[in-house]
Each structure stands twice: as structure tokens, then as C-alpha cells.
Amino acid sequence: MILREPLRRLGHTIHALGTVDSTQVEASRLAAAGAPEGTVVTASHQTEGRGRRGRQWLDAEGECLLMSIVLRPAVPSGHAPQLSLVGAVAMVDALTTSVGLRAAIRWPNDVLVGERKICGMLPAAVTSAPGALGHVILGIGLNVNQSTFPEPLRNIATSVRIETGRVILVAKMMESVLATLDRWYTRFLASGVDGLREAWLERSETIGRRVTTGDGREGVAVDLAADGALVLRTDIGETLRILAGDVTMEAAGAARH
Ligand code: BTN
């Protein structure tokens, strides 16, 4: 089914599918065939949902928002990861305005409620020439109506339903996310990371916390750099810039200075 809505940068065309391998694959196919910026693919279930760093993204059929958006920003290819910062800020706002949930960002782009993950983003960039960005497929997975999670997610994931006690129409949630993302993406196109850095910092759970990177570096997260890197201060006073990967946060209040 194709739904059309005029006058929006994102979500003017929505391909709403049933079971697919991954909406990232469907959206990539459409983008390669010339689909315009803002084309969205959503599905009720994925058999091969993709997460960051080669991980799997597991969903429960019909209970999650699974979507991939075709973006064609006129920025260098190195800026593609910044789009997940845009997505994370937009998702926190969408959760607040649509269901009154207080969510926060774990660098770079996990959205958490308390210490549990409710949403993840996956920006997949395709270059058209060395250094030039062709398009980005921004994948978003939001747990909406699950009431429990199987292992290995049981203790680390949550959903809108678990947090609010309400069952929410996934389509309504998508509308809200697209409207919020439309606003933050438009701001990113005008001003880059500068236009959303303050908003990201305000919504971040990571700044001020002691973190460990995937390759074992440790420090207190002190800032988000202009290029989206996480800035850490180590125990011996060094400054580290973390450009990619995951961080594990120590419990709030555990930061040693
Ligand atoms: C993460 O690891 O946190 C990123 C998860 C991104 C999942 C979404 S669900 C919709 C889209 N299709 C996929 O296969 N992955 C993304």
C-alpha cells in the first residue's frame, strides 16, 4: 500500500508492508531506483532486522515501529553518522509530545527510558563518489506495544506500553516521529550539528557519566564535539574523542573526577 501526504519533507510517501527481511533492504532498493528524499518504508515484522555493528534487531509482529527513511542531505559522506544524532533528538521529543514519556539519549543514538533501551537508530550511508554522499537510509526501531521481552532483551529493553501502561497505535506513533524528525532534520540541513548540539546535550544521559568504550578506553563523558564525537576526560586528564562504537555507562552518580 502506498500512502501519500503532500508538503512534507519526510513521509510524503509511505510504503507500508507486512513481513519483510528488513525495511533497510526495501528502502535501499527504492533509493537505488531514485526514490525521493523522505520516502518511508515501514513493516509489521522483520525476519532479518538489522541493528548497529552487525547485531540483529528483534521485533514482535505488529507491536513495534519499524521504519527506514530515504535521506539525501547535501553534506559530505563523513557527516552521515550525524543523522543518527538528529534521529535520537527527534525520538526523545516524539515520545514526550505523543505519550508523555521522559526518554534520554545514550551516545550516539540509543534512546533509553531509565536504563532500558526503547529505540535504536541505524544510519546506512551510500556514497556516490569518493567523499560524496549519495543517500542515507535512516532505520528506526521503536518498541511500542510489547508487554514482555524474550531473552536476551528481558533486562535491557522496554516499550511505550510497559512505561505508560497504554497500548498505542503504531501508525499514530509513526506520524508523531515523522513530524518531529521533519523539524529537526530541516534544522540540521540549515545548520548542521550546531543546530541540534544543545538539544542533544539536554536530552543526553551520557554526559557527566563515567563510560567505557568497546575497546576498553575509560573516562567521564564531558561533551559532544561539533562533528558528533563523544569527548571523554580520562583519569589522567587526557581528552579522548570517540567517533564510533558503543559505550557502557556506569550507574548514575558513579563518575570519578
Ligand atoms: C540499533 O542497533 O540500535 C539499531 C536498530 C535499528 C533497527 C531498525 S528497525 C527498522 C530498520 N530496519 C532494520 O533492519 N533495522 C532498522
Side-chain angles (χ1 to χ4, degrees):
M1 179 179 29
I2 299 184
L3 309 173
R4 274 175 211 287
E5 208 182 275
L7 300 176
R8 286 233 322 231
R9 195 188 293 272
L10 307 183
H12 46 76
T13 306
I14 298 176
H15 297 259
L17 309 175
T19 296
V20 295
D21 42 5
S22 159
T23 56
Q24 292 293 93
V25 174
E26 299 297 328
S28 299
R29 210 173 283 154
L30 289 167
E37 163 146 291
T39 300
V40 171
V41 176
T42 183
S44 58
H45 177 51
Q46 298 183 132
T47 53
E48 288 171 44
R50 299 177 179 182
R52 289 176 60 236
R53 309 185 74 71
R55 288 186 289 248
Q56 236 190 324
W57 180 263
L58 300 171
D59 68 81
E61 183 157 8
E63 297 188 342
C64 310
L65 172 57
L66 307 166
M67 76 174 170
S68 298
I69 309 167
V70 177
L71 301 176
R72 298 185 181 278
V75 299
S77 58
H79 292 196
Q82 297 172 0
L83 288 161
S84 52
L85 304 175
V86 182
V89 168
M91 183 56 74
V92 169
D93 286 4
L95 287 168
T96 307
T97 53
S98 62
V99 291
L101 253 186
R102 232 179 99 74
I105 304 166
R106 174 173 58 200
W107 184 87
N109 52 28
D110 287 343
V111 178
L112 310 181
V113 178
E115 298 291 321
R116 290 174 185 243
K117 181 161 163 176
I118 196 164
C119 174
M121 320 257 154
L122 182 65
V126 173
T127 47
S128 52
L133 193 56
H135 63 260
V136 175
I137 306 296
L138 180 63
I140 299 180
L142 172 69
N143 298 325
V144 183
N145 286 324
Q146 293 103 314
S147 50
T148 56
F149 287 91
E151 291 297 349
L153 302 177
R154 195 178 302 280
N155 296 319
I156 54 172
T158 191
S159 71
V160 173
R161 179 175 178 182
I162 290 170
E163 297 298 330
T164 64
R166 290 158 54 197
V167 173
I168 308 290
L169 268 183
V170 174
K172 268 260 172 255
M173 205 64 237
M174 179 168 74
E175 225 172 77
S176 167
V177 171
L178 283 172
T180 320
L181 189 59
D182 201 289
R183 283 200 296 281
W184 281 109
Y185 180 61
T186 300
R187 189 185 287 206
F188 170 78
L189 291 181
S191 331
V193 169
D194 274 356
L196 58 103
R197 191 171 155 274
E198 280 306 312
W200 190 94
L201 290 169
E202 279 167 22
R203 291 158 182 73
S204 162
E205 261 299 283
T206 308
I207 301 300
R209 302 268 294 265
R210 190 174 179 80
V211 303
T212 307
T213 65
D215 57 3
R217 290 174 291 170
E218 278 185 44
V220 176
V222 290
D223 204 0
L224 181 75
D227 59 358
L230 184 67
V231 182
L232 300 189
R233 197 179 57 237
T234 67
D235 291 346
I236 56 164
E238 273 178 338
T239 299
L240 298 180
R241 283 166 41 80
I242 311 300
L243 274 161
D246 285 332
V247 294
T248 319
M249 299 188 295
E250 263 186 26
R256 280 171 254 145
H257 294 277

